Amino acid sequence: MDMLINPTVVELSRLQFALTALYHFLFVPLTLGLTFLLATMESVYVITGKPIYKEMTQFWGKLFAINFALGVATGLTMEFEFGTNWSMYSHFVGDIFGTPLAIEGLMAFFMESTFVGIMFFGWDRISAKAHLVVTYLVALGSNLSALWILIANGFMQDPRGGTFDPNTMRLEFSSFVQLIFNEDAQAKFVHTSIAGFVTGSMFVMGISAFYLLTNKRKDIALRSFRIAAVFGVISTIGVVTLGDALGFIDAKAQPMKVAAMEAIWNTDYNTASAPWNLIAFPDKAAGKNLFEIGVPYVLTPLLTHSEDTVIPGIHQLVDEAKPKVVNGIKAMVALKEYNHDHSNVQALATFKQYQTDMGYGFLAMQYAPDQDLKKVDASNLASVVDKTAHETVPNVWVEFWAFRIMVAFGFIMLAIFAFAAYFSLKNEVEKHPLLLKVALWSIPLPWFACEFGWITAENGRQPWTVYNMLPTFVSASSHSVGYMIFSLIGFVLLYSSFIAAEMYLMFKYARLGPQASHHGHDQAPAGGGMAGQPAFAKPSLAKK
Amino acid sequence: MKNLFTFVGMALIMALSLFLAVITGDYGPWYFAWLVGTTMIVLIAVAGAVMYEKQDAESQGKTGRLH
Ligand code: HEM
């Protein structure tokens, strides 16, 4: 760990990971939500026995299938990327991170994929009730596989369940229970899964609105709209309240991220009246907001759910980081000595004494002369400590605005779903074409909210891959710049063709819609209704 | 015999639910909330659809339209 990786390679690795992760997450939320919507529609089919709900399940299932395939494919590349581009990271936390990742892979492939097959092709092969159970298992499976990757991410945000072993230079498992019941992982899972429910609902509601506007299969559109609007309004209330809870947990585990999210530079001890920044232009170099509009009396209750909890500002957190950097340097110097000579008990004892701040020592390496912490002495200590402490501040501008966009879209969607559910429950949606148009054009909103959510979570964790333990710049693999550019271009080309294919198929099948029913809405179209469609889309005639 | 199987199946589901409630309720309150919340969202959406059928039947009754 003496030689630092070329900063350009680190930046390119970050760019590649950010792009592939954000891209992968274009497919995930729809899978998480649409599966439960399919299960809902199919439940109505089994309860009421009305074949139209079977037809609905099959039609939306077809759109789900297009999305599902790309979700799995792009998820796979990411799992490999940990090894290829983040090998230092994988070495350091592989013992812990690998376990949830492996379970995730198993869940995605064995549980989800097996049942997805039965869900698509088993309509005529198993009973209606058994098929419903399968659809629920697909929904559960896709959300459970997300659970494991979020547990892994929860560990990166608030590392629990692992201890560093100076002999192997790795973080090793100490508690599986702590890992999976980590508060951050739990809150992340519920927020992300329900964000998927919101996405699925907006998708179904928007496309149904399109059918209503174009007079296509109103029987299916009205019913789908109703289910999606009701599902969506509760889910959006859920995502907002759970987002608030996630912010509350963040405030405990990652105060710097929260200070950046709210662009709080100075600690305000008048807790009750502290203003909450509605709009701000944070400038990291100047260490202040160039412009801000604050709403007094909102910040403390909003973030801490109390009136008197002090929220530390960025400057205070930087000052608090300084003694940690000093201790971290001592820990790393001792660790290096111990690594040269495992019989050096004095070095081991010193390392153990300062071990909790080890990550700050790692972080200081980039500012040490020749990147050698042993060369930090009285003459340069203050400058190294100061620079390193400032390095703990993420990009405040990005954090502040990414968070605000997610939240704003959350409230806009809540309003849309509320109106949609209200008019749908009164059976009056058709009288409100504006609402239908808004629903149609709002389809991208949940995707934007999700992407900005991830930017909030991951940008705010910088400069760490594992919070307070492992900085990003030591986590990457030591590839050449040429290799990184080559693979980046490869990804961009390949993924652009993927998205083009996905959008083409989605638009094609969504526009085409369920085939026109010639039989009135309570009957399944006889055979030819969906002729020419894939086998899984063909409804069976028999009412099971 | 079929009734017995149904009874045993239901009893197993109940035991599993109680186990989950106790374990996840204690250690993973958010996981527990997700299980309960998701079930609730699905059930309410199903109820919304069933209600639609009733409204539809009523409006067809009024207009004299046949199914
Ligand atoms: C008032 C509304 C919301 C609040 C207060 C909120 C809060 C948060 C917070 C604090 C994070 C960062 C978590 C971290 O640091 O690890 C986050 C992440 C995220 N949010 Fe939101 N959020 C809201 C609305 C939404 C909406 C509407 C969606 C999408 C439909 C969404 C999707 C996400 C996603 C996908 C992430 C990244 C994964 C995660 O960390 O859970 N959020 N949200």
Side-chain angles (χ1 to χ4, degrees):
Chain A
M1 271 180 218
D2 286 333
M3 279 287 291
L4 288 189
I5 299 148
N6 179 345
T8 315
V9 172
V10 177
E11 287 309 303
L12 286 170
S13 304
R14 289 182 63 196
L15 181 65
Q16 189 171 109
F17 199 86
L19 287 179
T20 46
L22 289 174
Y23 185 89
H24 173 58
F25 215 74
L26 289 175
F27 308 104
V28 177
L30 190 59
T31 299
L32 299 181
L34 201 50
T35 44
F36 269 110
L37 278 153
L38 293 178
T40 305
M41 292 172 192
E42 202 177 330
S43 300
V44 185
Y45 167 60
V46 171
I47 292 169
T48 64
K50 286 183 184 282
I52 191 165
Y53 286 96
K54 182 175 175 185
E55 199 188 342
M56 276 162 62
T57 314
Q58 288 171 327
F59 167 67
W60 294 111
K62 193 167 37 169
L63 299 188
F64 161 74
I66 301 168
N67 182 71
F68 177 77
L70 276 180
V72 175
T74 52
L76 258 182
T77 18
M78 299 208 51
E79 306 222 357
F80 288 119
E81 232 173 301
F82 288 115
T84 55
N85 289 6
W86 298 98
S87 55
M88 277 306 297
Y89 167 84
S90 297
H91 169 81
F92 192 78
V93 292
D95 196 44
I96 299 160
F97 194 76
T99 311
L101 216 65
I103 303 178
E104 194 254 356
L106 288 177
M107 287 251 170
F109 283 100
F110 293 107
M111 181 161 175
E112 245 179 303
S113 307
T114 310
F115 289 119
V116 158
I118 306 177
M119 183 172 99
F120 287 142
F121 302 108
W123 282 104
D124 298 326
R125 292 179 175 84
I126 51 176
S127 74
K129 279 187 188 149
H131 193 277
L132 179 64
V133 171
V134 167
T135 308
Y136 272 105
L137 286 174
V138 170
L140 206 61
S142 60
N143 280 269
L144 284 185
S145 69
L147 166 72
W148 290 102
I149 196 72
L150 290 165
I151 286 176
N153 187 264
F155 177 82
M156 296 166 78
Q157 307 283 355
D158 182 11
R160 279 163 200 272
T163 27
F164 180 76
D165 181 348
N167 293 308
T168 56
M169 294 291 283
R170 278 155 44 97
L171 260 181
E172 285 168 8
F173 240 137
S174 53
S175 164
F176 189 61
V177 172
Q178 271 190 30
L179 178 77
I180 56 173
F181 290 120
N182 181 349
E183 220 186 2
D184 202 275
Q186 290 193 45
K188 237 171 200 308
F189 168 65
V190 286
H191 187 60
T192 312
S193 162
I194 308 289
F197 293 6
V198 174
T199 311
S201 308
M202 197 52 106
F203 179 80
V204 172
M205 192 171 87
I207 296 178
S208 304
F210 170 70
Y211 296 147
L212 291 173
L213 286 165
T214 52
N215 253 328
K216 206 177 265 181
R217 283 304 297 270
K218 275 194 188 171
D219 52 348
I220 282 194
L222 281 169
R223 286 172 172 83
S224 301
F225 193 99
R226 163 75 60 95
I227 289 178
V230 173
F231 204 100
V233 75
I234 313 175
S235 303
T236 319
I237 294 170
V239 93
V240 170
T241 44
L242 294 168
D244 172 64
L246 186 54
F248 182 73
I249 289 166
D250 265 355
K252 285 192 276 176
Q254 302 184 329
M256 182 61 93
K257 180 190 270 181
V258 170
M261 237 183 244
E262 301 297 349
I264 308 168
W265 295 94
N266 299 304
T267 310
D268 192 340
Y269 289 96
N270 297 321
T271 49
S273 65
W276 170 72
N277 285 328
L278 182 65
I279 293 176
F281 295 144
D283 182 342
K284 191 176 160 185
K288 61 177 185 179
N289 296 331
L290 300 180
F291 170 79
E292 61 188 26
I293 299 179
V295 189
Y297 296 99
V298 173
L299 182 73
T300 314
L302 186 69
L303 253 70
T304 66
H305 301 181
S306 79
E307 295 250 304
D308 48 13
T309 311
V310 176
I311 302 167
I314 293 172
H315 293 311
Q316 182 186 328
L317 292 168
V318 167
D319 286 340
E320 285 171 9
K322 286 178 183 168
K324 294 182 190 171
V325 179
V326 175
N327 292 342
I329 293 173
K330 290 181 192 157
M332 288 303 289
V333 170
L335 180 64
K336 204 170 165 189
E337 281 169 7
Y338 178 70
N339 257 294
H340 278 304
D341 173 12
H342 273 215
S343 62
N344 189 341
V345 282
Q346 178 58 44
L348 184 63
T350 311
F351 170 72
K352 291 227 158 117
Q353 188 184 350
Y354 299 113
Q355 184 176 358
T356 37
D357 295 325
M358 183 180 99
Y360 289 84
F362 263 135
L363 202 60
M365 273 164 73
Q366 56 191 327
Y367 298 115
D370 301 326
Q371 296 160 353
D372 183 355
L373 289 173
K374 273 191 167 168
K375 292 188 180 162
V376 176
D377 54 26
S379 69
N380 53 24
L381 180 68
S383 135
V384 171
V385 168
D386 191 61
K387 283 183 194 152
T388 311
H390 278 92
E391 177 77 21
T392 58
V393 185
N395 185 326
V396 185
W397 202 92
V398 169
E399 192 63 10
F400 180 85
W401 283 106
F403 179 64
R404 269 171 186 55
I405 294 173
M406 168 181 64
V407 171
F409 282 3
F411 283 110
I412 293 172
M413 287 190 285
L414 182 57
I416 298 170
F417 277 123
F419 279 113
Y422 176 74
F423 288 118
S424 173
L425 287 170
K426 286 179 78 182
N427 235 352
E428 286 179 2
V429 275
E430 284 176 283
K431 292 186 196 153
H432 299 276
L434 180 65
L435 176 68
L436 295 177
K437 280 184 195 148
V438 170
L440 171 62
W441 289 105
S442 300
I443 292 178
L445 290 191
W447 272 274
F448 279 114
C450 286
E451 299 282 289
F452 281 108
W454 274 115
I455 294 174
T456 309
E458 302 299 280
N459 171 71
R461 198 194 53 226
Q462 297 308 316
W464 311 98
T465 42
V466 181
Y467 198 67
N468 275 357
M469 279 197 164
L470 188 73
T472 309
F473 72 89
V474 292
S475 307
S477 304
S478 50
H479 290 306
S480 67
V481 174
Y483 171 86
M484 283 310 301
I485 292 177
F486 170 76
S487 57
L488 195 60
I489 292 174
F491 267 122
V492 169
L493 290 180
L494 188 69
Y495 276 20
S496 303
S497 61
F498 277 179
I499 196 84
E502 151 112 359
M503 298 294 268
Y504 169 75
L505 288 173
M506 273 289 182
F507 273 105
K508 183 179 159 184
Y509 282 102
R511 273 225 183 110
L512 205 64
Q515 297 295 296
S517 164
H518 309 292
H519 301 266
H521 62 244
D522 281 349
Q523 274 181 328
M530 296 190 91
Q533 306 289 353
F536 60 76
K538 283 192 185 136
S540 82
L541 289 174
K543 196 166 130 180
K544 298 225 166 80
Chain B
M1 199 60 183
K2 192 173 170 248
N3 281 349
L4 181 70
F5 277 131
T6 313
F7 180 78
V8 172
M10 290 295 175
L12 280 177
I13 291 175
M14 196 184 73
L16 183 72
S17 310
L18 280 176
F19 176 77
L20 274 178
V22 171
I23 298 292
T24 56
D26 263 6
Y27 295 98
W30 294 104
Y31 295 149
F32 184 60
W34 181 84
L35 286 172
V36 176
T38 303
T39 313
M40 187 195 76
I41 298 175
V42 169
L43 287 180
I44 295 178
V46 168
V50 172
M51 182 180 158
Y52 177 91
E53 295 308 324
K54 187 159 179 296
Q55 288 168 325
D56 193 44
E58 274 170 12
S59 72
Q60 279 168 15
K62 268 188 212 150
T63 56
R65 191 152 54 98
L66 281 175
H67 275 234

